[in-house]
Amino acid sequence: MKITIVGTGYVGLITGTCFANAGNNVTCLDIDPKKVETLNKGEAPFFEPGLSEMMTKSINAGRLDFSDDSSTAFTGSDIIFICVGTPTGNDGKCDLSYVLGVADDISKVLDTFDTPPVVVVKSTVPVGTTHRVAERLHGEYFIANNPEFLREGNAIDDFRTPDRVVCGVESEEAQAALEQLYAPFTGDGHPLLFFDIHSSEMVKYASNAMLACKISFINEIASLCERNGANIERVRTGMCADSRIGNQFFKPGIGYGGSCFPKDTLAVMEMGDNANAPCLVNTAVHELNQRQRRWFANRILEHFDNDLTGKKVALWGLAFKPNTDDVRDAPSIDIAKTLIDAGAEVTGFDPEAWETYGSEVPEVTIVSNMYEAAADADALVICTEWDEFSSPDFDLLKAKLKDQVIFDGRNLYIRAEMARHGFHYYSVGRPTLEICTA
Ligand SMILES: NC(=O)c1ccc[n+]([C@@H]2O[C@H](COP(=O)([O-])OP(=O)(O)OC[C@H]3O[C@@H](n4cnc5c(N)ncnc54)[C@H](O)[C@@H]3O)[C@@H](O)[C@H]2O)c1
């Protein structure tokens, strides 16, 4: 099939590359000419394991190319995927201007098609948006919605072996085209589900809202544990043994970040307000997530009597989660800003997010080695659970740090071991022990 993908962010680029790899001819359109130039060389503009290799293979096979020309990129396409961003606008509402702008671009060329294309909204959009896209298309087409569930850092596997593919359709033509396209990725254990368009749009928001809810819920219980002398890790183990609860997305920490959960939770709240049906759970989930970041930053401030003048803090983990260089709405940003405002000098390390972080918090000095970041620091703060941080050389770390204080926002270490090494160790939802015997 001939496919046009609009937007080469995480979703567009992974989608385009995986469809090309499956034998389709794919053109990816983006308004950023510099990005397009880089992409045509086979270079991914962000870190995603295995992506560049897969892009290069499909480019060399003549099945994948990139363009910034909307007058030609749609030529002869059977299916067009809209994969542009739907960020939270300055007014706190979901900004649909990119999605609707693409609809106008498609509309301009609709009369050049011999066969009406299927126009698919893949961006995460509030219920009703796919129909708003359709209203702007003047000509012949078949409309569909197909939300994406990939996780950054595991995106290629998620796309190729999905838990499910959800499509919203209202024509046999759109359903047949999507069935054909997704056939290599669906089947036994990987269902391809067809719903009405509104339900398909809602599945995406409801799924992200549920996952965000699990994270805020366990963080709320962690907070209760700390105040009542319980240990959240044991409580969690006990809870997760119940198969109805499960153990995914249920780890205490400093909350969720990234380009999806924060904005999608806000968008659900907006949908509720618009429908005069306020979403109380989602509102609490969002507020708890904000509170968790503030609580962690305040814990560091309190340790230093609210004055970090002349103090040096090492920050391990800048990306919003491991295996990505994405720092959008990363907890590390709020934490670093709070520490800097209190007078600290902050040195950061991340295995991948060294370039992306610089523009977010330029005051943070980025170094290329985790122990270098810790050199002469009055405290180490851990914001992201990269594998590299899970079993460091504690003797070396101790020797590097000026003061052996660790604030672990991801509960990476065993408290008894930290006590044995002589660290003053703070974690989330577990009693702080300087001397621990169990
Ligand atoms: N990032 C994720 O992990 C993820 C996962 C599932 C769903 N989503 C959803 O998918 C959508 C895209 O997310 P993303 O993270 O890939 O976005 P992104 O911001 O990383 O990328 C969007 C791209 O679209 C391009 N663009 C904007 N307007 C354009 C236009 N008129 N024509 C062509 N290109 C244009 C931008 O230059 C940019 O490269 C969002 O709705 C998001 O919520 C994201």
Side-chain angles (χ1 to χ4, degrees), residues 7 9-11 30-31 35 83 86 124 148 152 260 263 328:
Y10 288 85
V11 168
D30 203 287
I31 41 170
K35 199 171 185 183
C83 303
T86 47
T124 303
E148 181 51 57
E152 291 174 23
C260 290
K263 84 167 172 62
R328 290 181 282 184

Side-chain angles (χ1 to χ4, degrees), residues 95-108:
D95 179 357
L96 293 174
S97 59
Y98 301 99
V99 170
L100 298 176
V102 175
D104 294 339
D105 289 341
I106 298 169
S107 192
K108 281 183 202 141

Side-chain angles (χ1 to χ4, degrees), residues 91 97 103 130 140 150 161 190 194 198 210 221 229 242 264-265 294 297 306 319 326 376 378 396 403 428 437:
D91 57 0
S97 59
T130 302
E140 286 188 61
L150 60 77
T161 51
H190 308 284
F194 285 97
H198 284 190
M210 181 71 226
I221 300 295
D242 185 330
D264 292 350
T265 313
R294 281 197 304 274
N306 290 312
D326 196 343
D376 218 21
D378 296 276
L396 178 59
D403 206 352
V428 181
T437 52

Side-chain angles (χ1 to χ4, degrees), residues 10-11 83-89 92-96 98-99 122-126 147-148 152 201 204-206 208-209 212 256-271 282 285-286 289-290 293 320 326 328-330:
Y10 288 85
V11 168
C83 303
V84 294
T86 47
T88 306
K93 296 183 173 175
C94 182
D95 179 357
L96 293 174
Y98 301 99
V99 170
K122 200 177 224 336
S123 301
T124 303
V125 290
E148 181 51 57
E152 291 174 23
E201 290 171 326
K204 175 62 193 178
Y205 274 128
N208 273 2
Y256 57 78
S259 69
C260 290
F261 288 2
K263 84 167 172 62
D264 292 350
T265 313
L266 287 174
V268 171
M269 287 156 61
E270 186 192 338
M271 276 195 285
N282 280 279
V285 165
H286 170 72
N289 198 54
Q290 302 300 103
R293 291 182 186 195
F320 84 92
D326 196 343
R328 290 181 282 184
D329 215 342

